[in-house]
Amino acid sequence: MRKPLPALKLFANRPISCILVVVASLSLSACTTILTNLPGVYTVDVQQGNIVDQAMIDQLRPNMNKRQVLYILGSPMLVDFFHQKRWDYLYSAQISGGDRQQKRISLFFDNDQLTGVQGDFKPSTVPVIKSSEETTVDVPKRDLEKTLWEMITGLFGYDGRDDSPRTDKSDAKPASPTDQLPL
């Protein structure tokens, strides 16, 4: 007769093994909260929705058309089928595993003209003067005798000029029957 293996004796007593499995799973699930709060552990910054800031909202003015608003804020996160005159912009950010911050703004239109703004941002009454960060640089004209293509073809002896003599067909006299070869 065979003897049972010592490892299988552990599972012979079922209530104890079930308790051990439950305690082990609970203790291992607690490790995730410990690991996320350790210093030096990288956590991903999660950003969702349209990134909208106060500078963008300050550019909005009453009676702007939808295309101008699209240019400033981008396409809305939510356009309700039943409320075509309302655009909703939602933004949610969770930085470094901290608390989630959510911002919301709703724009209202009448005849494709912006009539109202509602939400976490308020437009300013001061006109926005946006300075250009672009600079213009005047590049002097290059003083080259030959272009790069002319220098490369010059290496192979081709200078781009056709030196063969040209014959103009209008100046040539017609061929006489005696100039032709006999058949």
Side-chain angles (χ1 to χ4, degrees), residues 125-177:
T125 57
V126 179
V128 177
I129 300 173
K130 191 172 182 180
S131 62
S132 176
E133 297 174 5
E134 298 177 359
T135 58
T136 304
V137 178
D138 291 330
V139 180
K141 186 174 176 166
R142 293 181 9 175
D143 192 22
L144 297 175
E145 294 178 11
K146 291 184 178 180
T147 63
L148 180 63
W149 178 251
E150 290 173 341
M151 287 189 277
I152 291 172
T153 55
L155 293 174
F156 298 109
Y158 177 74
D159 59 358
R161 286 184 253 143
D162 190 13
D163 292 338
S164 62
R166 293 186 183 179
T167 58
D168 194 12
K169 298 208 179 221
S170 62
D171 293 341
K173 51 184 173 173
S176 62

Side-chain angles (χ1 to χ4, degrees), residues 48-67:
Q48 294 178 332
N50 300 78
I51 298 175
V52 177
D53 59 355
Q54 187 63 43
M56 297 166 84
I57 301 300
D58 288 343
Q59 295 177 29
L60 295 177
R61 294 288 170 246
N63 299 324
M64 281 184 142
N65 61 25
K66 287 185 177 182
R67 288 188 66 140

